[in-house]
Every structure is written in structure tokens, then in C-alpha cells.
Amino acid sequence: MTTPARTRVAPSPTGDPHVGTAYMALFDKAWSRKTGGQFVLRIEDTDRNRLVEGSEQQIYDSLRWLGLDADESPEVGGPYAPYKQSERVDSYRPFVEQLIESGHAYYCWCSGERLAQMRAEQQASKQADTGYDRLCLGMTRDERAKLPGFSPTPVVRMLIPDDVPLSFHDLIRGEVKAPRPDDQVILKADGFPTYHLAVVVDDHLMKITTVVRGEEWISSTPKHLLLYSWLGWQAPLFAHMPLLRNTDKSKISKRKNPAARLMWFREQGYLPEALRNFLQLLAYPPADGEQEVTSFDEFVEGFDWAKVSTVGPIFDVKKLDWLNGVYIRSLPTGELASRIVDYALESGQWSEIPEGGRELVLAATPLISERLVTLAEALPKLQFLFTADDQLVFNPVAVGKLKDNAAEVLTLAAQALEQLDEWTTDAIHQKLQTVLVEDMGLKPKFAFAPVRVAISGEQVSPPLFESMEILGKQSSLARIARLIAEL
Ligand code: GLU
């Protein structure tokens, strides 16, 4: 039996949440569920210059939307609170002191200009070792102050030993090698820890057992392992997930691909369960014959780090479209209708629910669900039902395609429908079939096309007779009369 895993996702609130955050959270949560442990959300906000207002809330909201909310977080609290690094600043300092005293870290007073100059010289001379040149190592403040490029507020750096271990075990990749690190800054001049120190201290204090993060952190892991060993702590296990890639194999970024933004999926009308399933498939392509559509519980059930592919998964939104359709059609009508309404309000398609709007959407949902890809498409398809009869615009392209006898067809249709007492889909269909197809001898295509344009304004619409039933007799006849007058 595996020991209960404590996992964490540790996003920085520096903008719209990245889809990668959800991707990590999915694996964090699955592994904690599989082992009966906990999943923690920690906000890494020590880089004060990059903070973006509202970003933290978006992280909470979008993870909750996806069903990937954490067991412990700044929002819900937990036994290791606070879960926001900016509220933990005092907890890092003692460890910095400890590292300085034990000779594993040292003060560095080099100014930004001096470091830039050093780097430029290293580059010009093409020397292989481009790290910090350790000018400050072993000096007191007074000794250093006499030399050029002195800054009165020092940083603290790790003293990377010559024999630093450069390989480590990864749950997904097995033995992994990383390049030799530089003398990493762990405490900045403003007194805030850098990511490298804060992540180790917090993961230790929060008793994290498995660190799941993107493969871009592989090169940092040797530094983190050094810190664990210097501080006398047991290091967690590491799982470095492959980076998500665009269809052209480039790394997915918010600048190049709107789908890199987690909020984008919600804005586009994807269902959270479809996105969650899509993310599962990305790292974890099902073996031949295995189900692609799987619930989170099934995913947890079969979870295995060894199954995670190390090849950068291709982020193909077409696949998500397909999955979204599958999930849309698996929803009961009432549930789908209410998601369409919620989406309309959230996205601004509606500023408020129009009178009778909820009922109308519920009645019309079966007409459109078969072909629906995203929730965003629903209302535009149903717009004609929400338009007043005298406001409906007959698309000139659709009108232009009608046969010369369209007015005659519509007049007959109107006369026949006028006499119809029972206004149901079947009765309407039956009546028009008899009058236009059987009596007039028209092909169904030509018989019903003018009626469709009259009712919906378009050449293509949701099922016609069902739409007419929902619209009602009076409206249907009024629309037919209007089109006749326009022809
Ligand atoms: N704050 C880091 C990030 O935004 C977290 C990396 C980690 O999980 O260790 O990517």
C-alpha cells in the first residue's frame, strides 16, 4: 500500500492562469486521491513586481470550475496555513541564517551593474563557466565595500559545491540529469526569498511528499535537493510533467495560443468535465482499445506515473471539440439547458434572463443538442426564437435562393396552417406534407425551404416543425405573412 501522498500546485499569480496549472493540479489531485492523501494549493507570490491584480482569484475560480479545487489553500485554510508565500516571509529568514552559519550560503553585495558587466565579459571571452564569479565569497561587508560595484543591500547565495549531485530520480522519467547550477540567489535584496528557497521550505513545512511540476524545473531540482540535504530534511519525490505543445510542436504560450489561458475554455463554452478529460488524455494517451472518455474517478482508479508519456503532448483543440460534444450529449436536457443559460449570463450573451427565456431554452435544447460543439453556439442558433416577429431579419442570401414559386408555397402553407387546431410538431409536419408535397407535388426540399426562411430567417436552422411548435401558431403565421409581403 502506498503511503498517503501530499501533493501541491504552486502557481504564481502573475496573470491569467495558465492551462498548465490545471494540468498539474489534475495530476496532483489524482495522485492524492489514489493514495488517500491531500492536495494543497499554494500561492507563490514572492515576486512582487510580477503580481497581477485579480489573478489569484482567477486561479481559485478556474480550478474550482474544473473540479480541481484543493483540500488546503489560502481560500479554505488548513493545518499548515498560511498558504500564501507573501504571508510566510518571516518563516524563511531563520533557514537563511542557518545556511549562512553552516557555510552553505553567503552574502553577495555585487550591484546589478557589476553583475551585468561580469556577464558581458564572460560572454565576450566565450568562457565555459558563466556563473557568478564569487567575488563576495569569504568577504566581510567592510572588505567588499572597498571594491567597485558594491550595493549596500546584499542578497544571499547558495555555495554550490564542486561535487553537487547532478542526477536524481523522477517518478515519470526515471534517472534524470541536469546541468551544473550557478550560485543561486536564495534571498533577494528586498528580504523576500527567491522561488528556490521558498519552494523547498514550504514544501517541507507543508509536508509535501510528491512535487508535480513542469519539466522546465528539472534544471532547478539539483539546487533544491542540495537545500533539502543542507537543512537536514527528507526530499519529496519529483514528477516532472512534459510541457504542453501546440500542433506545430512549439511550447504552448499565452502569447501564441489563446488556449494556453485557462479562462479561455470557459469563455468559449467548453464544459469543465470535457476539458478535464482532455487534459487527462494529453499526458496519458489511452492504450489501444482503451476508453478515451473517462471520468475523474476512473482516471484515479487507473492512475500510474509510469503511464505518463514524456513526449510533449500536442494540444489539439479539435479533440477537445469532439469530447465537448460527447459530454454535452451526455447531459440530461434540463441540465444542458441550465448550463446554456448560465453561460449566456456569464459570457454576456444575455445581460439578464429575458422573460420566459429559461423555459424557451429548455424547450428548444433538444433541437440543437445533437450538433452542439460548445455552449457558446447554443443561443445564436436559437436567436430566431427570441426575436420579435416584426424584428426578424430574412437573410437576403437565403431569400435569394428561394424558387420563384416561394410566395405561392407560403400562401398555401399559411392557409393550411390557419385551420390547424392542434399545434404540435407532428400535426404541423403532417399538414405541410399533405398540402405542399402531396397536393402540390413539390419536392420536400422546395416545399419547406420558404417556410424555414420565414420562420428562422435562414436557409439552415434547427428542426423546422419543432421550432414552429415552440414559436406557436400566431408567431409562425405572422412570420410567414411577413415573408410573403417581402417577396
Ligand atoms: N511558482 C512556480 C510556477 O509558477 C511553481 C513551480 C513548482 O511547482 O515548483 O511555476
Side-chain angles (χ1 to χ4, degrees), residues 8-14 21 24 28 42-45 50 85 195 199 203 211-214 216-217 224 238 240:
R8 84 329 185 247
V9 68
S12 301
T14 53
T21 298
M24 301 308 147
D28 281 319
R42 181 172 69 230
I43 295 289
E44 302 211 323
D45 56 351
R50 293 182 58 222
Q85 285 184 332
Y195 159 73
V199 77
D203 283 343
V211 167
V212 182
R213 60 185 175 190
E216 71 270 31
W217 298 108
H224 300 174
F238 289 93
H240 288 94

Side-chain angles (χ1 to χ4, degrees), residues 292-305:
E292 293 199 302
V293 181
T294 47
S295 68
F296 180 67
D297 289 344
E298 287 164 331
F299 179 60
V300 169
E301 181 74 19
F303 191 91
D304 182 355
W305 288 112

Side-chain angles (χ1 to χ4, degrees), residues 33-49:
R33 288 295 170 273
K34 172 96 182 176
T35 58
Q38 296 86 31
F39 164 46
V40 176
L41 166 60
R42 181 172 69 230
I43 295 289
E44 302 211 323
D45 56 351
T46 53
D47 194 347
R48 308 305 287 171
N49 299 324

Side-chain angles (χ1 to χ4, degrees), residues 192-239:
F192 273 75
T194 57
Y195 159 73
H196 303 284
L197 178 71
V199 77
V200 167
V201 171
D202 287 343
D203 283 343
H204 171 72
L205 294 179
M206 294 180 180
K207 299 207 165 47
I208 299 303
T209 61
T210 314
V211 167
V212 182
R213 60 185 175 190
E215 67 178 309
E216 71 270 31
W217 298 108
I218 286 178
S219 59
S220 300
T221 307
K223 299 181 229 181
H224 300 174
L225 289 169
L226 275 179
L227 291 171
Y228 279 105
S229 101
W230 291 343
L231 292 165
W233 299 336
Q234 171 161 13
L237 301 171
F238 289 93

